[in-house]
Amino acid sequence: MKLTTRGHYSVKALLDLSLRPKYGPESVRAIAKRQDIPAPYLEKLLIEMRRAGLVTSIRGSDGGYKLAKKPALISIGQILEAVGENITNLPLNNPTPTQTADWVTSSLWNRLNQKLKEALYNITLADLYYDARSWQASQGEEANFVV
């Protein structure tokens, strides 16, 4: 599966928000600056994720976006789906019964697609947070949380 810029930026933005659970909402500009994402593009992605119930928005000078749920309750699959990413890796086809080799191959790809989808829905923002912290600690870096 290839993660597009759309999916990559969406995961980065929500991971950024997950690092600030006790604080108020974060502005699009602040997230965009920390994660090196164009702010207008990020705004569009956050609107899509708001519609999907992953983030909430607060208006006003102190407004912005924050997670709608705890990081452990938001999966990568939910994020990718919210921004229209195709989370199946391979095209599905339906061979005829006489095409045994094609049927076997098709069955294999269908199973791989299902496993990929299951994995994406089982990995949460909390998992990525701990992975990032562990990697940074192993590199002797302070937690700057640019992902």
Side-chain angles (χ1 to χ4, degrees), residues 11-12 14-23 67 70-72 74 76 79 123-137 143-147:
V11 171
K12 284 176 64 166
L14 291 198
L15 183 56
D16 186 275
L17 288 175
S18 76
L19 301 172
R20 290 151 180 74
K22 297 191 190 297
Y23 302 112
L67 294 179
K70 292 181 180 182
I74 299 175
I76 303 309
I79 297 168
I123 299 170
T124 67
L125 283 177
D127 296 328
L128 291 184
Y129 168 83
Y130 292 117
D131 288 348
R133 292 289 304 243
S134 295
W135 181 82
Q136 288 174 331
N144 62 9
F145 297 116
V146 174
V147 289

